[in-house]
Amino acid sequence: MGTGTQGAGGLRDSYDAIVVGSGIGGLVTGGYLAADGRRVLMLEQHDVAGGNAHAFRRRRKYEFDVGMHYLGDCGPDGLIPTILSGLGVRDRVRFLPMDNEHGFDRVMTPTATLDVPAGWDAYADRLRQALPEEADRVDRFIELATALAAVNRASLTGDSMAQLCRRFPEAMRWTRRTLGQALDHCGLSAKGRTLIAAQAGNYGSMPDGVGFAEHVNITDHYLRGAYYPEGGGQALVAAFVEALEAYGGELRTRCEVRRILIENGRATGVELTDGQRISAPLVISNADYRSTVLDLCGGEAAFPAGLVARTREATMRNAIVSVYVALDTELPALPNANIWWHGSDDMEGAHAAMLERYARDGSMDTVSQLALFFASLRDPGAHAVCPPGHSNFQLMMNCPFGYDFWGVPGGPVHGEPYRRNPTYLARKRQLTEAMLDTAEKILGPFRSRITHVETATPLTNERYIRAGGGTPYGMATWGGTARRPDVRTEVEGLYVVGQNVRYGSGIGGVATCGIAAASRILGRGLFAEAYTGVVLGDASRLPERAPDWDPLAVSRGQARRRAKGLAGIG
């Protein structure tokens, strides 16, 4: 294993593996490599680890999750608990169940309210009740979906492609088709399609733009039970950071990579923006895939021309706008559930009309779909979420993709000083007011009780996460819908993880791709091993947590844990 000598900033000049970016995918991969005894360096350009799973604080009273809205499959043998268990940190994260019996997601349209419970059978019953005239079509869809869910689960526990084809010949035919094609096949109405695909905000695409397998995988993930990590999303991130560092790895925040070094077709390390070069025979990029291929690796200098062209031509999934709201009062009685509100029974038609209006006259003054996530209901009484008697929630909606919508020629990665641009500010104000208006239609008046409101746009996301075009969902097309790259690349020693790879969107998807990458590198079925109780590394090396343990401080890495600028909760 490499040791190397120390250079500027205390970094060694060589490691066994370098992880570029510290989203959940990178944290999982890096943690498992460190637990195997590899000397791992994780580099993060932001102030804190976590990627879209990180949190931020305001007014010393409120902590807002950026993208950790809820998690699925967190029971004793669930996906994320299993991945944590393999690193010895399962007991460091407690998962709080949402209302899995009555409904963890509430879908609202003008003519229907659907409360989504845990379990495929219960979910199917609710769909039939909401769509009595389409019960046979619902059954057809559920039959297809549950068969594909079984394929997804079997692949996770180690079945090869050949084994999957033998065990699930019919379902395998649907792995390359879209959700839209499945809905067409089952003959569902516009309303039926809307109720089934209402939570499209979990992957950022209308039915024709997402693979059926991905939709099923995410649905199955939540139907195994919906949860939220106690203490917020940063608590989950911090557990992975603790594992990485306890097993000898290093996390360096505010440390940006300029390029990934490649010589003779293999990765050899990275160069930082300050010019320092660090060598390693393994590089795992948790950066945006297009940025990895086209910028960090130099495009055709490292990859086949066809792959580079496909990556240049790739389109991205929907961009989003998020409004973070705090109130000095509790919300009226609500279930412990997210709300997915749709202003039309035809979600796809409403989305197309929104894009048409914008293309015609640039208007964006109405909201056709809105998602609402309530941190103060998911983790009631949490010290960091909000003071007692207050509320903390997030509003989220799709918006047209691209910089033109915001009146700027480029984004933060291009050095564009967008934050004072008058067109950008006007658009941001317009959408904020429209989203708050819509939320008051759903929740009742609350504006007079607002103590903090803040809006994040795709440019905000690009600034902090460096996601391509600001979308947290990755690529929509990469040489075809539902086609995405694998974790292993054409460059020897270079792997990719994150929202763009074939394991799908969301925390569950990126955690899966992280353990898949580590499994490829180590030549072991790590998830299957962790599922049976195998723990890599020595869990006795994990640090004790002091009474004032702060997951946000932990997520800055040991080198910057006490650096100035960390927001606290008073």
Short mmCIF file of all heavy atoms in Angstrom, two decimals, residues 159-223:
data_model
loop_
_atom_site.label_atom_id
_atom_site.label_comp_id
_atom_site.label_asym_id
_atom_site.label_seq_id
_atom_site.Cartn_x
_atom_site.Cartn_y
_atom_site.Cartn_z
N ASP A 159 -26.65 -11.74 -8.54
CA ASP A 159 -26.96 -12.50 -9.75
C ASP A 159 -26.31 -11.85 -10.97
O ASP A 159 -26.34 -10.63 -11.14
CB ASP A 159 -28.47 -12.56 -9.97
CG ASP A 159 -29.15 -13.63 -9.14
OD1 ASP A 159 -28.52 -14.08 -8.16
OD2 ASP A 159 -30.27 -14.02 -9.48
N SER A 160 -25.73 -12.66 -11.83
CA SER A 160 -25.12 -12.17 -13.07
C SER A 160 -26.21 -11.88 -14.09
O SER A 160 -27.38 -12.28 -13.92
CB SER A 160 -24.17 -13.21 -13.64
OG SER A 160 -24.89 -14.36 -14.07
N MET A 161 -25.84 -11.20 -15.18
CA MET A 161 -26.80 -10.90 -16.23
C MET A 161 -27.38 -12.18 -16.82
O MET A 161 -28.58 -12.27 -17.10
CB MET A 161 -26.12 -10.06 -17.32
CG MET A 161 -27.08 -9.53 -18.37
SD MET A 161 -28.34 -8.40 -17.69
CE MET A 161 -27.32 -7.00 -17.25
N ALA A 162 -26.54 -13.19 -17.01
CA ALA A 162 -27.02 -14.46 -17.55
C ALA A 162 -28.03 -15.11 -16.61
O ALA A 162 -29.06 -15.64 -17.04
CB ALA A 162 -25.85 -15.40 -17.80
N GLN A 163 -27.76 -15.07 -15.32
CA GLN A 163 -28.69 -15.62 -14.34
C GLN A 163 -30.01 -14.87 -14.33
O GLN A 163 -31.09 -15.47 -14.23
CB GLN A 163 -28.06 -15.59 -12.94
CG GLN A 163 -26.92 -16.57 -12.75
CD GLN A 163 -26.21 -16.36 -11.43
OE1 GLN A 163 -25.91 -15.22 -11.03
NE2 GLN A 163 -25.91 -17.45 -10.72
N LEU A 164 -29.93 -13.53 -14.43
CA LEU A 164 -31.15 -12.73 -14.45
C LEU A 164 -32.01 -13.05 -15.67
O LEU A 164 -33.24 -13.16 -15.57
CB LEU A 164 -30.80 -11.25 -14.44
CG LEU A 164 -30.14 -10.72 -13.17
CD1 LEU A 164 -29.68 -9.27 -13.37
CD2 LEU A 164 -31.09 -10.80 -11.97
N CYS A 165 -31.37 -13.23 -16.83
CA CYS A 165 -32.11 -13.55 -18.05
C CYS A 165 -32.79 -14.91 -17.94
O CYS A 165 -33.90 -15.10 -18.46
CB CYS A 165 -31.18 -13.52 -19.26
SG CYS A 165 -30.64 -11.84 -19.73
N ARG A 166 -32.13 -15.85 -17.28
CA ARG A 166 -32.75 -17.17 -17.11
C ARG A 166 -33.90 -17.12 -16.11
O ARG A 166 -34.94 -17.76 -16.32
CB ARG A 166 -31.71 -18.18 -16.65
CG ARG A 166 -30.75 -18.65 -17.73
CD ARG A 166 -29.99 -19.90 -17.31
NE ARG A 166 -29.16 -19.67 -16.13
CZ ARG A 166 -27.89 -19.27 -16.19
NH1 ARG A 166 -27.32 -19.04 -17.36
NH2 ARG A 166 -27.20 -19.10 -15.08
N ARG A 167 -33.74 -16.36 -15.02
CA ARG A 167 -34.75 -16.32 -13.97
C ARG A 167 -35.94 -15.43 -14.32
O ARG A 167 -37.08 -15.71 -13.94
CB ARG A 167 -34.13 -15.82 -12.66
CG ARG A 167 -33.17 -16.79 -11.99
CD ARG A 167 -32.64 -16.21 -10.70
NE ARG A 167 -33.73 -15.95 -9.73
CZ ARG A 167 -33.57 -15.24 -8.61
NH1 ARG A 167 -32.39 -14.70 -8.32
NH2 ARG A 167 -34.59 -15.07 -7.79
N PHE A 168 -35.67 -14.33 -15.03
CA PHE A 168 -36.72 -13.34 -15.29
C PHE A 168 -36.77 -12.96 -16.77
O PHE A 168 -36.57 -11.80 -17.13
CB PHE A 168 -36.47 -12.07 -14.45
CG PHE A 168 -36.22 -12.31 -12.99
CD1 PHE A 168 -34.92 -12.29 -12.48
CD2 PHE A 168 -37.27 -12.53 -12.12
CE1 PHE A 168 -34.68 -12.48 -11.13
CE2 PHE A 168 -37.05 -12.73 -10.77
CZ PHE A 168 -35.75 -12.71 -10.27
N PRO A 169 -37.03 -13.92 -17.67
CA PRO A 169 -36.95 -13.62 -19.11
C PRO A 169 -37.92 -12.53 -19.55
O PRO A 169 -37.56 -11.67 -20.36
CB PRO A 169 -37.27 -14.97 -19.77
CG PRO A 169 -38.00 -15.76 -18.71
CD PRO A 169 -37.40 -15.32 -17.42
N GLU A 170 -39.16 -12.52 -19.02
CA GLU A 170 -40.13 -11.51 -19.44
C GLU A 170 -39.74 -10.12 -18.91
O GLU A 170 -39.74 -9.14 -19.63
CB GLU A 170 -41.53 -11.89 -18.95
CG GLU A 170 -42.16 -13.05 -19.70
CD GLU A 170 -42.41 -12.71 -21.16
OE1 GLU A 170 -42.80 -11.56 -21.46
OE2 GLU A 170 -42.19 -13.58 -22.01
N ALA A 171 -39.40 -10.06 -17.62
CA ALA A 171 -39.07 -8.76 -17.01
C ALA A 171 -37.83 -8.15 -17.64
O ALA A 171 -37.75 -6.92 -17.80
CB ALA A 171 -38.87 -8.94 -15.51
N MET A 172 -36.87 -8.97 -18.02
CA MET A 172 -35.63 -8.43 -18.59
C MET A 172 -35.88 -7.68 -19.89
O MET A 172 -35.10 -6.81 -20.26
CB MET A 172 -34.63 -9.56 -18.80
CG MET A 172 -34.03 -10.12 -17.52
SD MET A 172 -33.10 -8.89 -16.56
CE MET A 172 -31.65 -8.67 -17.60
N ARG A 173 -36.97 -8.01 -20.57
CA ARG A 173 -37.29 -7.30 -21.82
C ARG A 173 -37.65 -5.83 -21.55
O ARG A 173 -37.62 -5.01 -22.46
CB ARG A 173 -38.44 -7.99 -22.54
CG ARG A 173 -38.09 -9.39 -23.04
CD ARG A 173 -39.20 -9.94 -23.95
NE ARG A 173 -38.85 -11.26 -24.46
CZ ARG A 173 -39.26 -12.40 -23.92
NH1 ARG A 173 -40.07 -12.38 -22.87
NH2 ARG A 173 -38.90 -13.56 -24.43
N TRP A 174 -38.00 -5.52 -20.30
CA TRP A 174 -38.42 -4.17 -19.97
C TRP A 174 -37.30 -3.33 -19.39
O TRP A 174 -37.50 -2.15 -19.09
CB TRP A 174 -39.59 -4.22 -18.98
CG TRP A 174 -40.87 -4.63 -19.66
CD1 TRP A 174 -41.36 -5.88 -19.79
CD2 TRP A 174 -41.77 -3.76 -20.34
NE1 TRP A 174 -42.54 -5.87 -20.50
CE2 TRP A 174 -42.81 -4.57 -20.85
CE3 TRP A 174 -41.82 -2.38 -20.56
CZ2 TRP A 174 -43.88 -4.04 -21.57
CZ3 TRP A 174 -42.88 -1.86 -21.28
CH2 TRP A 174 -43.90 -2.68 -21.77
N THR A 175 -36.13 -3.88 -19.24
CA THR A 175 -35.04 -3.12 -18.62
C THR A 175 -34.52 -2.00 -19.50
O THR A 175 -33.85 -1.09 -19.00
CB THR A 175 -33.88 -4.05 -18.23
OG1 THR A 175 -33.41 -4.74 -19.39
CG2 THR A 175 -34.31 -5.06 -17.18
N ARG A 176 -34.77 -2.05 -20.80
CA ARG A 176 -34.31 -0.99 -21.71
C ARG A 176 -35.47 -0.15 -22.24
O ARG A 176 -35.30 0.60 -23.21
CB ARG A 176 -33.55 -1.61 -22.90
CG ARG A 176 -32.19 -2.18 -22.53
CD ARG A 176 -31.24 -1.10 -22.09
NE ARG A 176 -29.91 -1.61 -21.78
CZ ARG A 176 -28.93 -0.87 -21.29
NH1 ARG A 176 -29.15 0.41 -21.06
NH2 ARG A 176 -27.75 -1.39 -21.02
N ARG A 177 -36.63 -0.25 -21.61
CA ARG A 177 -37.77 0.54 -22.05
C ARG A 177 -38.07 1.64 -21.03
O ARG A 177 -37.62 1.59 -19.89
CB ARG A 177 -38.99 -0.36 -22.24
CG ARG A 177 -38.77 -1.44 -23.28
CD ARG A 177 -39.99 -2.29 -23.49
NE ARG A 177 -39.71 -3.45 -24.34
CZ ARG A 177 -40.59 -4.38 -24.67
NH1 ARG A 177 -41.83 -4.29 -24.19
NH2 ARG A 177 -40.25 -5.39 -25.44
N THR A 178 -38.84 2.62 -21.47
CA THR A 178 -39.13 3.76 -20.61
C THR A 178 -40.39 3.52 -19.78
O THR A 178 -41.22 2.64 -20.10
CB THR A 178 -39.33 5.04 -21.43
OG1 THR A 178 -40.53 4.91 -22.21
CG2 THR A 178 -38.14 5.31 -22.34
N LEU A 179 -40.55 4.32 -18.74
CA LEU A 179 -41.78 4.29 -17.97
C LEU A 179 -42.96 4.63 -18.87
O LEU A 179 -44.04 4.02 -18.75
CB LEU A 179 -41.68 5.28 -16.81
CG LEU A 179 -42.97 5.54 -16.02
CD1 LEU A 179 -43.51 4.25 -15.40
CD2 LEU A 179 -42.74 6.61 -14.97
N GLY A 180 -42.79 5.59 -19.78
CA GLY A 180 -43.87 5.95 -20.70
C GLY A 180 -44.32 4.76 -21.52
O GLY A 180 -45.53 4.56 -21.74
N GLN A 181 -43.39 3.95 -22.00
CA GLN A 181 -43.74 2.78 -22.79
C GLN A 181 -44.51 1.76 -21.94
O GLN A 181 -45.44 1.11 -22.43
CB GLN A 181 -42.48 2.15 -23.38
CG GLN A 181 -41.86 2.97 -24.49
CD GLN A 181 -40.50 2.44 -24.92
OE1 GLN A 181 -39.68 2.06 -24.09
NE2 GLN A 181 -40.27 2.41 -26.22
N ALA A 182 -44.13 1.62 -20.69
CA ALA A 182 -44.85 0.69 -19.80
C ALA A 182 -46.28 1.18 -19.55
O ALA A 182 -47.23 0.39 -19.55
CB ALA A 182 -44.09 0.54 -18.49
N LEU A 183 -46.43 2.49 -19.33
CA LEU A 183 -47.77 3.05 -19.11
C LEU A 183 -48.62 2.91 -20.37
O LEU A 183 -49.83 2.61 -20.29
CB LEU A 183 -47.66 4.51 -18.69
CG LEU A 183 -46.96 4.76 -17.34
CD1 LEU A 183 -46.67 6.24 -17.15
CD2 LEU A 183 -47.81 4.24 -16.18
N ASP A 184 -48.02 3.12 -21.55
CA ASP A 184 -48.73 2.91 -22.81
C ASP A 184 -49.18 1.45 -22.93
O ASP A 184 -50.32 1.16 -23.31
CB ASP A 184 -47.83 3.25 -23.99
CG ASP A 184 -47.53 4.73 -24.12
OD1 ASP A 184 -48.28 5.53 -23.52
OD2 ASP A 184 -46.55 5.08 -24.79
N HIS A 185 -48.26 0.53 -22.64
CA HIS A 185 -48.54 -0.90 -22.76
C HIS A 185 -49.73 -1.30 -21.89
O HIS A 185 -50.54 -2.16 -22.27
CB HIS A 185 -47.30 -1.69 -22.34
CG HIS A 185 -47.49 -3.17 -22.29
ND1 HIS A 185 -47.52 -3.96 -23.42
CD2 HIS A 185 -47.69 -4.01 -21.22
CE1 HIS A 185 -47.71 -5.22 -23.06
NE2 HIS A 185 -47.80 -5.28 -21.74
N CYS A 186 -49.85 -0.68 -20.72
CA CYS A 186 -50.93 -1.03 -19.79
C CYS A 186 -52.20 -0.25 -20.07
O CYS A 186 -53.24 -0.52 -19.45
CB CYS A 186 -50.47 -0.78 -18.36
SG CYS A 186 -49.08 -1.82 -17.86
N GLY A 187 -52.17 0.71 -21.00
CA GLY A 187 -53.37 1.43 -21.41
C GLY A 187 -53.92 2.38 -20.38
O GLY A 187 -55.12 2.66 -20.36
N LEU A 188 -53.07 2.93 -19.54
CA LEU A 188 -53.53 3.82 -18.47
C LEU A 188 -53.90 5.20 -19.01
O LEU A 188 -53.28 5.70 -19.95
CB LEU A 188 -52.46 3.93 -17.39
CG LEU A 188 -52.38 2.69 -16.50
CD1 LEU A 188 -50.97 2.44 -16.03
CD2 LEU A 188 -53.33 2.83 -15.31
N SER A 189 -54.91 5.81 -18.41
CA SER A 189 -55.36 7.14 -18.80
C SER A 189 -54.35 8.19 -18.35
O SER A 189 -53.41 7.90 -17.60
CB SER A 189 -56.70 7.43 -18.15
OG SER A 189 -56.54 7.53 -16.73
N ALA A 190 -54.58 9.44 -18.77
CA ALA A 190 -53.71 10.54 -18.33
C ALA A 190 -53.72 10.65 -16.81
O ALA A 190 -52.67 10.86 -16.18
CB ALA A 190 -54.16 11.84 -18.97
N LYS A 191 -54.89 10.48 -16.20
CA LYS A 191 -54.98 10.55 -14.74
C LYS A 191 -54.24 9.38 -14.10
O LYS A 191 -53.52 9.55 -13.11
CB LYS A 191 -56.44 10.54 -14.31
CG LYS A 191 -56.64 10.60 -12.80
CD LYS A 191 -58.12 10.63 -12.45
CE LYS A 191 -58.34 10.59 -10.95
NZ LYS A 191 -59.80 10.63 -10.61
N GLY A 192 -54.39 8.18 -14.66
CA GLY A 192 -53.68 7.01 -14.14
C GLY A 192 -52.19 7.18 -14.23
O GLY A 192 -51.44 6.84 -13.30
N ARG A 193 -51.73 7.71 -15.37
CA ARG A 193 -50.30 7.96 -15.55
C ARG A 193 -49.80 8.97 -14.52
O ARG A 193 -48.70 8.82 -13.96
CB ARG A 193 -50.04 8.47 -16.97
CG ARG A 193 -50.36 7.48 -18.06
CD ARG A 193 -50.38 8.16 -19.43
NE ARG A 193 -49.04 8.50 -19.88
CZ ARG A 193 -48.30 7.76 -20.70
NH1 ARG A 193 -48.77 6.60 -21.15
NH2 ARG A 193 -47.10 8.16 -21.08
N THR A 194 -50.62 10.00 -14.25
CA THR A 194 -50.22 11.03 -13.29
C THR A 194 -50.10 10.45 -11.89
O THR A 194 -49.11 10.71 -11.19
CB THR A 194 -51.24 12.17 -13.30
OG1 THR A 194 -51.22 12.80 -14.59
CG2 THR A 194 -50.91 13.22 -12.24
N LEU A 195 -51.06 9.65 -11.45
CA LEU A 195 -51.01 9.10 -10.10
C LEU A 195 -49.83 8.15 -9.93
O LEU A 195 -49.20 8.12 -8.88
CB LEU A 195 -52.33 8.39 -9.77
CG LEU A 195 -53.56 9.28 -9.66
CD1 LEU A 195 -54.78 8.45 -9.28
CD2 LEU A 195 -53.35 10.39 -8.65
N ILE A 196 -49.49 7.40 -10.96
CA ILE A 196 -48.38 6.45 -10.86
C ILE A 196 -47.03 7.17 -10.93
O ILE A 196 -46.08 6.80 -10.23
CB ILE A 196 -48.49 5.38 -11.97
CG1 ILE A 196 -49.61 4.40 -11.62
CG2 ILE A 196 -47.17 4.64 -12.17
CD1 ILE A 196 -49.94 3.41 -12.72
N ALA A 197 -46.94 8.20 -11.74
CA ALA A 197 -45.66 8.90 -11.94
C ALA A 197 -45.59 10.22 -11.18
O ALA A 197 -44.70 11.04 -11.44
CB ALA A 197 -45.43 9.14 -13.43
N ALA A 198 -46.48 10.43 -10.22
CA ALA A 198 -46.59 11.73 -9.56
C ALA A 198 -45.33 12.14 -8.84
O ALA A 198 -45.04 13.33 -8.71
CB ALA A 198 -47.77 11.71 -8.58
N GLN A 199 -44.55 11.16 -8.34
CA GLN A 199 -43.33 11.48 -7.60
C GLN A 199 -42.13 11.56 -8.53
O GLN A 199 -41.00 11.23 -8.14
CB GLN A 199 -43.08 10.45 -6.50
CG GLN A 199 -44.21 10.34 -5.48
CD GLN A 199 -45.08 9.12 -5.70
OE1 GLN A 199 -45.53 8.85 -6.81
NE2 GLN A 199 -45.30 8.34 -4.65
N ALA A 200 -42.35 12.03 -9.75
CA ALA A 200 -41.27 12.14 -10.73
C ALA A 200 -40.15 13.05 -10.25
O ALA A 200 -39.03 12.98 -10.75
CB ALA A 200 -41.82 12.66 -12.07
N GLY A 201 -40.44 13.89 -9.26
CA GLY A 201 -39.40 14.73 -8.69
C GLY A 201 -38.30 13.94 -8.01
O GLY A 201 -37.25 14.50 -7.68
N ASN A 202 -38.50 12.65 -7.80
CA ASN A 202 -37.44 11.82 -7.23
C ASN A 202 -36.36 11.48 -8.25
O ASN A 202 -35.27 11.05 -7.87
CB ASN A 202 -38.02 10.51 -6.67
CG ASN A 202 -38.68 10.71 -5.32
OD1 ASN A 202 -38.24 11.53 -4.53
ND2 ASN A 202 -39.75 9.97 -5.07
N TYR A 203 -36.67 11.64 -9.54
CA TYR A 203 -35.66 11.37 -10.56
C TYR A 203 -35.63 12.41 -11.68
O TYR A 203 -34.83 12.31 -12.60
CB TYR A 203 -35.82 9.96 -11.16
CG TYR A 203 -37.24 9.56 -11.53
CD1 TYR A 203 -37.88 10.10 -12.63
CD2 TYR A 203 -37.92 8.63 -10.76
CE1 TYR A 203 -39.17 9.72 -12.97
CE2 TYR A 203 -39.21 8.23 -11.08
CZ TYR A 203 -39.83 8.79 -12.19
OH TYR A 203 -41.12 8.41 -12.52
N GLY A 204 -36.50 13.40 -11.63
CA GLY A 204 -36.38 14.55 -12.50
C GLY A 204 -36.71 14.33 -13.95
O GLY A 204 -36.03 14.88 -14.82
N SER A 205 -37.78 13.58 -14.24
CA SER A 205 -38.11 13.33 -15.64
C SER A 205 -39.57 12.97 -15.79
O SER A 205 -40.16 12.34 -14.90
CB SER A 205 -37.24 12.20 -16.20
OG SER A 205 -37.59 11.91 -17.53
N MET A 206 -40.14 13.33 -16.91
CA MET A 206 -41.45 12.83 -17.28
C MET A 206 -41.34 11.35 -17.70
O MET A 206 -40.23 10.86 -17.98
CB MET A 206 -42.03 13.66 -18.42
CG MET A 206 -42.42 15.08 -18.04
SD MET A 206 -43.86 15.18 -16.91
CE MET A 206 -43.02 15.66 -15.39
N PRO A 207 -42.45 10.61 -17.76
CA PRO A 207 -42.38 9.16 -18.03
C PRO A 207 -41.63 8.76 -19.30
O PRO A 207 -40.96 7.72 -19.30
CB PRO A 207 -43.86 8.77 -18.12
CG PRO A 207 -44.54 9.70 -17.17
CD PRO A 207 -43.82 11.01 -17.36
N ASP A 208 -41.70 9.56 -20.35
CA ASP A 208 -41.00 9.18 -21.58
C ASP A 208 -39.50 9.38 -21.50
O ASP A 208 -38.76 8.94 -22.39
CB ASP A 208 -41.55 9.98 -22.77
CG ASP A 208 -42.92 9.49 -23.21
OD1 ASP A 208 -43.26 8.32 -22.90
OD2 ASP A 208 -43.66 10.27 -23.84
N GLY A 209 -39.02 10.02 -20.44
CA GLY A 209 -37.60 10.32 -20.34
C GLY A 209 -36.86 9.54 -19.27
O GLY A 209 -35.69 9.81 -19.01
N VAL A 210 -37.53 8.57 -18.65
CA VAL A 210 -36.87 7.79 -17.60
C VAL A 210 -37.08 6.30 -17.88
O VAL A 210 -38.14 5.88 -18.36
CB VAL A 210 -37.42 8.16 -16.21
CG1 VAL A 210 -38.88 7.76 -16.05
CG2 VAL A 210 -36.58 7.56 -15.10
N GLY A 211 -36.07 5.51 -17.59
CA GLY A 211 -36.19 4.08 -17.77
C GLY A 211 -37.22 3.49 -16.83
O GLY A 211 -37.34 3.90 -15.67
N PHE A 212 -37.98 2.52 -17.32
CA PHE A 212 -38.96 1.84 -16.48
C PHE A 212 -38.28 1.19 -15.29
O PHE A 212 -38.78 1.23 -14.16
CB PHE A 212 -39.70 0.80 -17.33
CG PHE A 212 -40.81 0.09 -16.60
CD1 PHE A 212 -41.62 0.75 -15.69
CD2 PHE A 212 -41.05 -1.25 -16.85
CE1 PHE A 212 -42.66 0.09 -15.03
CE2 PHE A 212 -42.06 -1.93 -16.19
CZ PHE A 212 -42.87 -1.26 -15.29
N ALA A 213 -37.10 0.61 -15.52
CA ALA A 213 -36.37 -0.05 -14.43
C ALA A 213 -36.00 0.95 -13.34
O ALA A 213 -36.06 0.63 -12.15
CB ALA A 213 -35.12 -0.74 -14.97
N GLU A 214 -35.62 2.16 -13.73
CA GLU A 214 -35.25 3.16 -12.72
C GLU A 214 -36.47 3.59 -11.91
O GLU A 214 -36.41 3.70 -10.67
CB GLU A 214 -34.60 4.38 -13.37
CG GLU A 214 -34.15 5.40 -12.34
CD GLU A 214 -33.37 6.56 -12.92
OE1 GLU A 214 -33.02 6.51 -14.11
OE2 GLU A 214 -33.12 7.53 -12.17
N HIS A 215 -37.59 3.83 -12.59
CA HIS A 215 -38.81 4.19 -11.87
C HIS A 215 -39.19 3.08 -10.88
O HIS A 215 -39.51 3.35 -9.72
CB HIS A 215 -39.96 4.42 -12.85
CG HIS A 215 -41.29 4.56 -12.17
ND1 HIS A 215 -41.74 5.74 -11.65
CD2 HIS A 215 -42.26 3.63 -11.91
CE1 HIS A 215 -42.93 5.55 -11.09
NE2 HIS A 215 -43.27 4.28 -11.23
N VAL A 216 -39.14 1.84 -11.33
CA VAL A 216 -39.51 0.72 -10.47
C VAL A 216 -38.54 0.60 -9.30
O VAL A 216 -38.96 0.35 -8.16
CB VAL A 216 -39.55 -0.59 -11.28
CG1 VAL A 216 -39.60 -1.81 -10.36
CG2 VAL A 216 -40.74 -0.58 -12.23
N ASN A 217 -37.27 0.77 -9.57
CA ASN A 217 -36.26 0.65 -8.52
C ASN A 217 -36.49 1.69 -7.42
O ASN A 217 -36.44 1.37 -6.22
CB ASN A 217 -34.86 0.82 -9.11
CG ASN A 217 -33.78 0.30 -8.20
OD1 ASN A 217 -34.01 -0.57 -7.37
ND2 ASN A 217 -32.58 0.82 -8.36
N ILE A 218 -36.78 2.93 -7.82
CA ILE A 218 -37.02 3.98 -6.83
C ILE A 218 -38.34 3.74 -6.10
O ILE A 218 -38.43 3.90 -4.87
CB ILE A 218 -37.00 5.36 -7.51
CG1 ILE A 218 -35.58 5.68 -7.98
CG2 ILE A 218 -37.52 6.44 -6.58
CD1 ILE A 218 -35.44 6.96 -8.76
N THR A 219 -39.38 3.33 -6.84
CA THR A 219 -40.66 3.03 -6.20
C THR A 219 -40.53 1.89 -5.21
O THR A 219 -41.00 1.96 -4.06
CB THR A 219 -41.71 2.67 -7.26
OG1 THR A 219 -41.84 3.76 -8.18
CG2 THR A 219 -43.07 2.40 -6.62
N ASP A 220 -39.85 0.83 -5.61
CA ASP A 220 -39.63 -0.32 -4.72
C ASP A 220 -38.83 0.09 -3.48
O ASP A 220 -39.10 -0.37 -2.37
CB ASP A 220 -38.89 -1.42 -5.49
CG ASP A 220 -38.65 -2.66 -4.65
OD1 ASP A 220 -39.63 -3.31 -4.25
OD2 ASP A 220 -37.47 -2.98 -4.38
N HIS A 221 -37.87 0.97 -3.68
CA HIS A 221 -37.04 1.48 -2.59
C HIS A 221 -37.92 2.09 -1.49
O HIS A 221 -37.77 1.77 -0.31
CB HIS A 221 -36.08 2.52 -3.17
CG HIS A 221 -35.16 3.16 -2.19
ND1 HIS A 221 -34.14 2.49 -1.56
CD2 HIS A 221 -35.08 4.45 -1.75
CE1 HIS A 221 -33.49 3.32 -0.77
NE2 HIS A 221 -34.03 4.51 -0.87
N TYR A 222 -38.88 2.92 -1.89
CA TYR A 222 -39.75 3.58 -0.91
C TYR A 222 -40.86 2.66 -0.40
O TYR A 222 -41.28 2.77 0.76
CB TYR A 222 -40.32 4.87 -1.48
CG TYR A 222 -39.29 5.95 -1.63
CD1 TYR A 222 -38.92 6.43 -2.88
CD2 TYR A 222 -38.66 6.47 -0.51
CE1 TYR A 222 -37.94 7.42 -3.01
CE2 TYR A 222 -37.69 7.46 -0.64
CZ TYR A 222 -37.33 7.92 -1.89
OH TYR A 222 -36.36 8.89 -2.01
N LEU A 223 -41.35 1.77 -1.25
CA LEU A 223 -42.41 0.86 -0.80
C LEU A 223 -41.90 -0.15 0.23
O LEU A 223 -42.69 -0.82 0.89
CB LEU A 223 -43.03 0.13 -2.00
CG LEU A 223 -43.87 1.00 -2.94
CD1 LEU A 223 -44.47 0.15 -4.07
CD2 LEU A 223 -44.98 1.72 -2.20
#
